[in-house]
Amino acid sequence: MHEAVRPGAQSPQQQAAGRDAGGLLQLSVVVPTFNERDNVTKLYRKLETALSGIAWEVVFVDDNSPDGTWQVVRELSHQDARVRCIRRIGRRGLSGACIEGILASSAPYAAVMDADLQHDEAQLPKMLALLDSGEAELVVGSRYIEGGSADSFDRQRAGASALATEVAKRTLGVSVADPMSGFFMIRRDRFEELAPQLSTQGFKILLDIVATAHGKLRTVEVPYSFGTRLHGESKLDSMVALDFLGLVLAKLTNDTISLRFLLFAMVGGSGLVVHLTTLFIALEMFKVPFAEAQAAGAFVAMTTNFILNNFLTYRDQRLKGFAILRGLIAFYLVCSVGLFANVGVAFSVYDQEPIWWLAGAAGALMGVVWNYAMSGLFVWRKR
Ligand code: GDD
Ligand code: MN
């Protein structure tokens, strides 16, 4: 006769497979990775120790890292079914990776943490207990409450983090002490409700969740010490500041103004300066006839606009190699049609109301909206 299995308890086989007696998972740990090949195995072993007795899985979401992180994860998953790997091709972004990982998991609770061992996996059982008891719907690993710390930060990074935290709290009315944390655990059903409104761009997924929930998520913070990165380097660069501002802007305007559109319009404005400068040089220095000089100005401005947009506005979908040429040609076409739309609208406004600046502005607005919409469809297509 074999021993009866207590309901909710795990048989050794189930524990090995990360399931409880009902075959169900309790916790999915989602780990975004980019060039973390030397860290993932270490993290997996640490999770194994920290989560013993819990039915867990870990979902690594890798953006096709050049260092082959996903291959290391695949090998791990062949030895342990609790390890899963999502390999994304042609996409980049921490927030998007986390969202995809959580949505791909099936446990009632999902944790997000870095692969580089800067987050403290030993806090996970405590965080899970807070969710499981119903005390919280979101648990934040916090550096900025009693008992937490971020001593591994240099002065510059500490200052930037403090500033961003302050801005987020004031502008978005967020009351969490550490909304920039990349370490948290959430009820999946609550996350699922918010997911359609979350931005896939940028780094600040927790801030996005908290701001989008408008205070309706019962939140508890647990302190932890932000450690030093084990191997490899941080992917947080100065562009992250831009992403942060974009998120604040989008949340403040109820998602009507996106940072992408604002950047696109700003690049368009720079194109005007480029256009006029080229026109001036062609006319004055090279004595080119006006029509040709004007065409040259438009051509140069479209080219610089394309380069800037590829570098800034669409940096998460940046075209590379041969795709640059294809994209550039598509961009010329889009902008040429945009010019017709611009002139057409300006004409008809002027016809109704002969105010030159009003007609001009209406035409320009039409042009930028057209170029933006069409560029998103034909130049920087979402793959
Ligand atoms: N899939 C994917 N795609 N993963 C990424 C990407 C990406 O484009 N960029 C970064 N990651 C992964 C890294 O591999 C790492 O596991 C994790 O996301 C965090 O990236 P780091 O580069 O280590 O960021 P950090 O340590 O400088 O910043 C962390 O701490 C901040 C708090 O100060 C992050 O957790 C931030 O979200 C957090 O705000
Ligand atoms: Mn890190």
Side-chain angles (χ1 to χ4, degrees):
M1 217 185 114
H2 58 255
E3 231 182 315
V5 179
R6 184 168 53 84
Q10 292 175 296
S11 71
Q13 294 88 334
Q14 281 162 339
Q15 180 154 14
R19 309 278 153 158
D20 71 6
L24 297 175
L25 284 168
Q26 286 171 281
L27 174 66
S28 297
V29 182
V30 173
V31 183
T33 57
F34 193 75
N35 286 345
E36 305 283 4
R37 69 168 298 140
D38 297 327
N39 292 326
V40 285
T41 308
K42 264 279 189 10
L43 176 66
Y44 159 70
R45 297 217 188 290
K46 288 194 164 229
L47 288 175
E48 211 178 13
T49 311
L51 298 175
S52 70
I54 294 169
W56 61 281
E57 67 172 350
V58 56
V59 182
F60 289 95
V61 189
D62 186 66
D63 287 352
N64 204 26
S65 298
D67 79 346
T69 305
W70 58 273
Q71 285 159 319
V72 181
V73 176
R74 284 266 185 261
E75 269 161 43
L76 282 175
S77 72
H78 291 153
Q79 291 150 28
D80 187 339
R82 294 175 299 188
V83 179
R84 292 173 54 203
C85 174
I86 297 179
R87 177 185 173 199
R88 309 199 304 166
I89 293 176
R91 273 178 296 168
R92 271 300 301 276
L94 178 53
S95 291
C98 295
I99 293 171
E100 214 160 308
I102 299 176
L103 293 180
S105 69
S106 49
Y109 308 112
V112 168
M113 67 189 295
D114 288 4
D116 55 12
L117 308 178
Q118 291 189 280
H119 295 157
D120 181 8
E121 76 291 336
Q123 304 298 326
L124 291 169
K126 192 181 356 168
M127 295 162 90
L128 181 64
L130 283 164
L131 293 177
D132 220 14
S133 67
E135 205 170 315
E137 297 169 307
L138 169 70
V139 182
V140 175
S142 179
R143 298 160 293 179
Y144 303 138
I145 57 172
E146 180 81 32
S149 69
D151 297 340
S152 62
F153 270 172
D154 57 27
R155 292 243 316 260
Q156 193 194 353
R157 180 85 196 255
S161 179
L163 180 68
T165 304
E166 212 38 48
V167 170
K169 284 186 180 172
R170 277 167 201 246
T171 56
L172 301 177
V174 165
S175 59
V176 179
D178 191 1
M180 304 297 152
S181 177
F183 183 33
F184 61 92
M185 198 185 285
I186 188 168
R187 274 175 59 154
R188 222 176 49 91
D189 56 349
R190 300 311 309 273
F191 180 82
E192 209 97 30
E193 288 161 19
L194 299 170
Q197 285 141 268
L198 299 179
S199 160
T200 53
Q201 257 187 303
F203 256 64
K204 300 303 167 201
I205 173 145
L206 177 65
L207 175 62
D208 199 358
I209 291 174
V210 173
T212 305
H214 294 294
K216 288 194 203 86
L217 272 180
R218 231 173 311 124
T219 306
V220 173
E221 294 187 70
V222 298
Y224 83 99
S225 300
F226 191 70
T228 42
R229 179 175 253 284
L230 186 64
H231 294 289
E233 54 193 39
S234 170
K235 282 97 214 167
L236 233 159
D237 57 12
S238 51
M239 288 299 186
V240 167
L242 210 60
D243 284 330
F244 171 71
L245 290 178
L247 183 62
V248 172
L249 185 75
K251 290 294 150 195
L252 275 180
T253 60
N254 241 331
D255 286 315
T256 38
I257 300 184
S258 74
L259 180 69
R260 225 199 267 288
F261 180 72
L262 215 64
L263 284 174
F264 194 88
M266 271 161 54
V267 168
S270 81
L272 186 64
V273 177
V274 171
H275 185 128
L276 292 179
T277 311
T278 312
L279 183 62
F280 179 78
I281 292 173
L283 287 174
E284 296 296 315
M285 290 169 65
F286 295 97
K287 309 288 175 212
V288 178
F290 184 80
E292 277 92 334
Q294 171 72 356
F299 192 71
V300 174
M302 283 192 288
T303 311
T304 54
N305 279 4
F306 174 80
I307 293 167
L308 283 174
N309 279 324
N310 197 41
F311 191 73
L312 267 178
T313 319
Y314 289 96
R315 68 192 188 91
D316 56 324
Q317 282 162 255
R318 193 172 292 165
L319 302 174
K320 292 183 187 126
F322 186 69
I324 295 184
L325 198 62
R326 212 210 106 262
L328 182 61
I329 292 169
F331 190 71
Y332 286 147
L333 288 174
V334 162
C335 293
S336 309
V337 180
L339 187 63
F340 276 106
N342 173 338
V343 174
V345 165
F347 251 130
S348 72
V349 171
Y350 194 78
D351 215 31
Q352 309 255 315
E353 204 73 64
I355 308 172
W356 65 268
W357 57 265
L358 185 68
L365 186 66
M366 177 66 214
V368 67
V369 169
W370 166 276
N371 288 349
Y372 179 67
M374 294 302 130
S375 291
L377 277 180
F378 298 114
V379 185
W380 291 275
R381 289 182 284 204
K382 271 246 183 299
R383 278 162 292 189

